[in-house]
């Protein structure tokens, strides 16, 4: 009997394997999930809307704009940190993870905000900043107080009698030194970011438990997920071996994906994320595609998705190559075509404005190039993360005086350059183009004083172009960036091919035009994007005679072999 049974079993097995490969192939990216189909809208609370005239955006301000956010058609809101913080790094230095920053309001405001979101069908994703805390967090105060304090091992300390520890590069420190000497206990503590952001010791199981409890606190309130800030740096080799000279030029290679990082994420997933079915996204995707897969592949039980920086790093002050842009985005897509899931974005609170870096912010091309970039982000596979204000085509403010900048690492680097006799003129030109403060100027609501953001003096200057670029003006204009964004979101929501469809780059060597198809369940779409300020030819080799235009930032006609400056179309084949 047994002997005869085996061939049937193997046939069944082959059939099962073939079937599972087939279903994977159809639903590229694996199982369908709400967070794959979602458009995530990022709100930078400090700059979104001020309700009380102190010049700082707040939760009541966000509440007053929830109908606006809903009107965009997006599904989820990612909020930058709103926890108590002395604000060395605008909230990325948390002093109490279970409280709301005074500038932003109260826990009651938070509860009202969350209810307001859920009432409108919007989900909330919070920033989880646990590679480091603030030096004003109670844990650190205890930790630094004595070598024997029970909180000592919550952070990384190196006793000075052992000599100076091996050099670690700090991204934000004025001297770039990540070890800060503290005379109180004659020891150094580690801070990859600023001195006021000491790194937590993830090797300590007590720290991990504290973090999981914090996550549960917010999930029990009903939030829908977390963005894990700088988490790829959390695990460290605590023997702190020396790194090769000059490692800081490539520090991610040395800092990311330390020992046990995946163990911690699997633990976090088992203890918290899976229990609440919470969505999770990591800032950073490691050094290799393998690292990224290890973070996000479903069978790893770690995170849902990550965001990689290679795309946003393409833009340079001197310009960028469209061929390079296409190559990078195509590469990341193809590596995740079958397994894993990524996010797509061209801006966030750590970047200057999308249209100023990747499009063209001159008056002639600002709107049309912003719409072209909108078409790109919302027609790629991966979850789009949209940064507030980009739907208006907000531009870099490009302040020319250092006094106008507020960003701590930028100000520290300015002082550093001054101290080493660096080229300050070049530094200023660089930050006008790339400083993250460009993305943090107040949201431009209308043409009244301070762009309708505040009745007081804003914490950072409003971009003077608010008199023409603002939400109020764009609401009434059917051809505005804002209304184009809404149309594009609606198109993505109505057309799952834009979410799950297989991506194929075409007209590969075209140096001006980015062309690709998206294909799913017999439906095929063609996306054509001219990335240049001049007309550009294209050759798709496809029959467009029966094609239907789904969206265009120019007219209702399907372009015949030539695209206007920054023209973008999506065509149903
Ligand atoms: C992340 C945040 C950034 C912050 C840094 C330190 O990169 O996105 O804004 O300054 O971590 O927390």
């Amino acid at each position: 009997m047994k002997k005869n049974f085996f061939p049937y079993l193997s046939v069944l097995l082959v059939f099962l394997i073939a079937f599972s490969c087939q279903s994977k192939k159809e639903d590229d990216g694996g199982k369908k999930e709400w967070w794959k189909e979602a458009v995530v809208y990022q709100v930078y609370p400090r700059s979104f809307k001020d309700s009380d005239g102190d010049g700082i955006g707040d939760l009541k301000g966000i509440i007053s704009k929830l109908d606006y956010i809903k009107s965009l058609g997006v599904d989820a809101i990612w909020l930058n940190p709103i926890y108590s913080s002395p604000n060395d790094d605008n909230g990325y230095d948390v002093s109490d993870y279970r409280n709301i920053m005074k500038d932003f309001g109260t826990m009651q405001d938070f509860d009202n905000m969350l209810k307001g979101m859920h009432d409108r069908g919007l989900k909330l994703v919070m920033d989880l900043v646990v590679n480091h805390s603030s030096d004003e967090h109670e844990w650190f105060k205890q930790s630094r107080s004595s070598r024997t304090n029970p909180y000592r091992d919550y952070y990384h300390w190196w006793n000075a009698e052992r000599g100076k520890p091996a050099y670690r590069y700090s991204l934000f420190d004025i001297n770039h030194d990540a070890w800060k000497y503290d005379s109180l206990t004659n020891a150094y503590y580690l801070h990859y970011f600023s001195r006021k952001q000491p790194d937590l010791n993830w090797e300590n199981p007590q720290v991990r438990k504290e973090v999981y409890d914090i996550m549960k606190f917010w999930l029990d309130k009903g939030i829908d997920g977390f963005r894990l800030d700088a988490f790829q740096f959390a695990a460290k080799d605590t023997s702190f071996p020396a790194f090769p000279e000059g490692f800081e030029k490539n520090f991610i290679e040395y800092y990311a994906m330390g020992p046990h990082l995946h163990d911690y994420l699997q633990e976090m997933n088992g203890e918290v994320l899976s229990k609440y079915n919470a969505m999770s996204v990591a800032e950073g995707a490691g050094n290799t595609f393998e690292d990224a897969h290890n973070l996000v592949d479903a069978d790893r039980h770690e995170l849902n998705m990550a965001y990689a920086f290679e795309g946003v790093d393409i833009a340079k002050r001197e310009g960028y190559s469209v061929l390079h842009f296409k190559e990078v985005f195509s590469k990341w897509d193809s590596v995740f075509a079958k397994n894993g899931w990524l996010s797509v974005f061209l801006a966030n609170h750590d970047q200057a404005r999308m249209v100023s870096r990747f499009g063209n912010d001159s008056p002639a091309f600002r709107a049309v190039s912003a719409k072209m970039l909108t078409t790109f982000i919302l027609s790629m596979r991966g979850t789009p993360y949209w940064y507030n204000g980009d739907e208006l085509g907000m531009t870099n403010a490009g302040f020319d005086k250092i006094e106008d900048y507020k960003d701590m690492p930028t100000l520290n680097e300015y002082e550093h350059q001054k101290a080493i006799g660096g080229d300050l003129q070049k530094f200023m030109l660089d930050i006008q183009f790339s400083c993250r403060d460009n993305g943090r100027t107040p949201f431009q609501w209308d043409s009244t004083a301070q762009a309708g953001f505040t009745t007081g003096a804003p914490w950072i200057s409003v971009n003077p172009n608010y008199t023409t670029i603002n939400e109020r003006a764009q609401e009434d204009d059917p051809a505005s960036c804002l209304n184009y964004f809404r149309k594009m979101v609606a198109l993505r929501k109505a057309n799952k091919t834009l979410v799950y469809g297989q991506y194929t780059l075409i007209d590969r060597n075209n140096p001006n035009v980015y062309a690709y198809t998206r294909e799913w369940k017999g439906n095929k779409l063609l996306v054509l994007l001219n990335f240049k300020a001049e007309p550009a030819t294209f050759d798709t080799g496809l029959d467009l005679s029966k094609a239907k235009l789904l969206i265009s930032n120019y007219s209702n006609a399907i372009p015949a072999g030539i695209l206007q400056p920054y023209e973008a179309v999506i065509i149903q084949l």
Side-chain angles (χ1 to χ4, degrees):
M1 276 297 277
K2 260 185 191 163
K3 253 186 205 161
N4 289 343
F5 187 62
F6 186 68
Y8 294 108
L9 197 69
S10 45
V11 168
L12 186 72
L13 217 67
V14 168
F15 176 76
L16 278 175
I17 291 169
F19 180 78
S20 76
C21 287
Q22 181 58 31
S23 59
K24 252 199 182 144
K25 221 172 156 192
E26 278 214 342
D27 280 356
D28 293 57
K31 233 175 102 198
K32 288 190 188 158
E33 304 279 3
W34 75 262
W35 42 264
K36 292 182 180 172
E37 299 180 13
V39 177
V40 180
Y41 184 79
Q42 182 186 354
V43 170
Y44 193 67
R46 210 172 172 77
S47 303
F48 196 59
K49 175 70 185 165
D50 175 23
S51 73
D52 59 5
D54 67 355
I56 299 171
D58 49 41
L59 301 189
K60 282 195 174 127
I62 296 173
I63 294 172
S64 73
K65 295 298 181 185
L66 287 179
D67 285 337
Y68 168 74
I69 298 175
K70 179 67 186 169
S71 80
L72 300 173
V74 300
D75 307 87
I77 295 173
W78 155 28
L79 263 196
N80 292 95
I82 53 167
Y83 318 100
S84 300
S85 164
N87 268 315
D88 182 50
D89 185 21
N90 286 5
Y92 281 94
D93 47 320
V94 180
S95 55
D96 182 351
Y97 291 94
R98 289 184 175 81
N99 249 313
I100 302 295
M101 190 193 296
K102 284 207 178 60
D103 290 340
F104 289 166
T106 63
M107 195 56 93
Q108 186 58 54
D109 295 337
F110 174 85
D111 293 339
N112 295 344
M113 180 187 71
L114 182 60
K115 180 167 185 316
M117 289 176 182
H118 285 167
D119 285 350
R120 290 168 178 80
L122 293 164
K123 296 189 190 293
L124 175 61
V125 177
M126 302 245 308
D127 224 308
L128 185 69
V129 191
V130 289
N131 169 70
H132 46 268
S133 73
S134 162
D135 66 339
E136 296 183 36
H137 193 290
E138 191 54 34
W139 298 335
F140 190 74
K141 289 187 194 160
Q142 295 282 337
S143 181
R144 94 172 264 256
S145 67
S146 91
R147 286 188 180 186
T148 52
N149 186 282
Y151 288 90
R152 186 68 168 179
D153 289 339
Y154 271 44
Y155 297 87
H156 297 287
W157 289 97
W158 183 277
N159 292 339
E161 61 271 18
R162 299 169 68 192
K164 205 171 172 204
Y167 175 61
R168 287 294 180 270
Y169 165 72
S170 161
L171 283 83
F172 289 180
D173 192 77
I174 195 159
N175 300 322
H176 299 172
D177 186 350
W179 289 108
K180 169 94 173 77
Y181 178 72
D182 190 19
S183 59
L184 195 64
T185 54
N186 189 34
Y188 299 88
Y189 68 85
L190 185 73
H191 61 93
Y192 278 180
F193 293 92
S194 90
R195 293 171 190 185
K196 289 187 66 62
Q197 295 170 297
D199 284 46
L200 283 160
N201 178 8
W202 271 76
E203 279 52 60
N204 180 348
Q206 197 54 37
V207 168
R208 304 204 295 274
K209 190 180 171 307
E210 297 263 19
V211 171
Y212 306 151
D213 286 348
I214 290 164
M215 293 171 79
K216 288 177 194 160
F217 171 83
W218 291 101
L219 287 164
D220 284 336
K221 278 186 168 287
I223 73 157
D224 303 283
F226 287 108
R227 174 242 188 211
L228 275 70
D229 179 70
F231 198 77
Q232 56 175 350
F233 301 150
K236 286 150 185 119
D237 175 349
T238 51
S239 69
F240 295 107
F243 289 154
E245 179 103 11
F247 84 89
E248 62 272 20
K249 290 191 194 81
N250 219 350
F251 69 92
I252 294 191
E253 217 174 279
Y254 294 86
Y255 282 8
M257 307 290 131
H260 306 299
L261 188 89
H262 294 295
D263 299 332
Y264 302 154
L265 284 172
Q266 281 165 19
E267 186 180 73
M268 180 191 285
N269 186 297
E271 299 268 327
V272 188
L273 297 171
S274 62
K275 290 197 178 138
Y276 289 82
N277 196 19
M279 176 268 224
S280 54
V281 54
E283 181 195 26
N287 293 301
T288 61
F289 291 132
E290 198 189 338
D291 284 345
H293 271 298
N294 286 342
L295 287 171
V296 302
D297 283 2
D299 59 0
R300 301 271 309 170
H301 302 290
E302 296 190 15
L303 302 173
N304 296 143
M305 57 192 139
Y307 57 88
F309 296 117
E310 200 177 349
V312 278
D313 285 347
I314 295 171
K316 297 276 177 292
R317 182 153 66 89
E318 55 281 8
Y320 67 95
S321 138
V322 178
L323 288 173
H324 182 211
F325 188 95
K326 298 202 286 192
E327 181 207 313
V328 167
F329 280 95
S330 301
K331 186 175 70 176
W332 278 93
D333 181 88
S334 73
V335 176
F336 289 85
K338 295 277 178 283
N339 280 316
W341 193 256
L342 289 174
S343 45
V344 189
F345 67 106
L346 285 178
N348 60 36
H349 66 292
D350 290 330
Q351 307 289 329
R353 283 286 171 189
M354 170 182 93
V355 71
S356 300
R357 297 179 78 218
F358 289 97
N360 184 328
D361 63 9
S362 70
F365 296 118
R366 182 193 62 85
V368 77
S369 67
K371 291 178 204 167
M372 185 277 288
L373 296 169
T374 305
T375 318
F376 166 69
I377 294 176
L378 291 165
S379 65
M380 287 294 282
R381 181 160 43 191
T383 301
Y385 282 72
W386 190 265
Y387 187 58
N388 59 189
D390 280 347
E391 70 274 22
L392 308 178
M394 277 178 63
T395 67
N396 279 0
F399 301 129
D400 49 19
K401 289 199 303 289
I402 193 69
E403 296 74 42
D404 286 331
Y405 289 88
K406 306 292 170 203
D407 181 43
M408 170 267 295
T410 302
L411 298 176
N412 281 352
E413 191 54 26
Y414 182 83
E415 289 307 321
H416 179 75
Q417 289 300 324
K418 215 157 85 178
I420 63 168
D423 183 346
L424 287 179
Q425 222 175 342
K426 178 179 176 297
F427 179 80
M428 288 308 297
L429 289 174
D430 284 344
I431 64 173
Q432 276 173 9
F433 178 75
S434 61
C435 177
R436 54 190 191 168
D437 275 349
N438 284 301
R440 297 176 175 187
T441 59
F443 194 99
Q444 294 166 202
W445 291 107
D446 58 41
S447 59
T448 64
Q450 311 299 357
F453 162 70
T454 180
T455 53
W459 71 275
I460 187 169
S461 300
V462 171
N463 189 323
N465 65 18
Y466 74 90
T467 50
T468 50
I469 303 171
N470 63 67
E471 188 253 339
R472 186 61 256 146
Q474 295 198 17
E475 285 292 349
D476 302 332
D477 173 6
S480 65
C481 292
L482 173 60
N483 283 317
Y484 188 87
F485 176 72
R486 288 185 173 126
K487 263 187 244 160
M488 197 53 227
V489 172
L491 183 64
R492 185 177 178 94
K493 308 293 308 174
N495 215 318
K496 293 284 176 283
T497 303
L498 291 174
V499 176
Y500 293 110
Q502 185 189 317
Y503 160 99
T504 309
L505 177 66
I506 50 178
D507 206 1
R508 175 180 293 270
N509 297 321
N510 191 322
N512 309 313
V513 172
Y514 192 172
Y516 46 93
T517 56
R518 301 293 314 277
E519 228 173 322
W520 193 57
K521 298 192 188 243
N523 187 26
K524 189 166 177 177
L525 306 175
L526 169 66
V527 182
L528 295 172
L529 309 165
N530 180 2
F531 270 66
K532 291 289 172 68
E534 295 85 38
T537 55
F538 64 92
D539 180 11
T540 62
L542 294 164
D543 175 13
L544 303 186
S545 60
K546 294 202 191 70
K548 185 176 150 220
L549 187 70
L550 297 182
I551 195 164
S552 161
N553 62 351
Y554 265 81
S555 67
N556 291 325
I558 292 181
I562 194 154
L563 291 170
Q564 297 308 305
Y566 298 109
E567 185 166 358
V569 291
I570 301 183
I571 296 165
Q572 171 95 53
L573 292 174

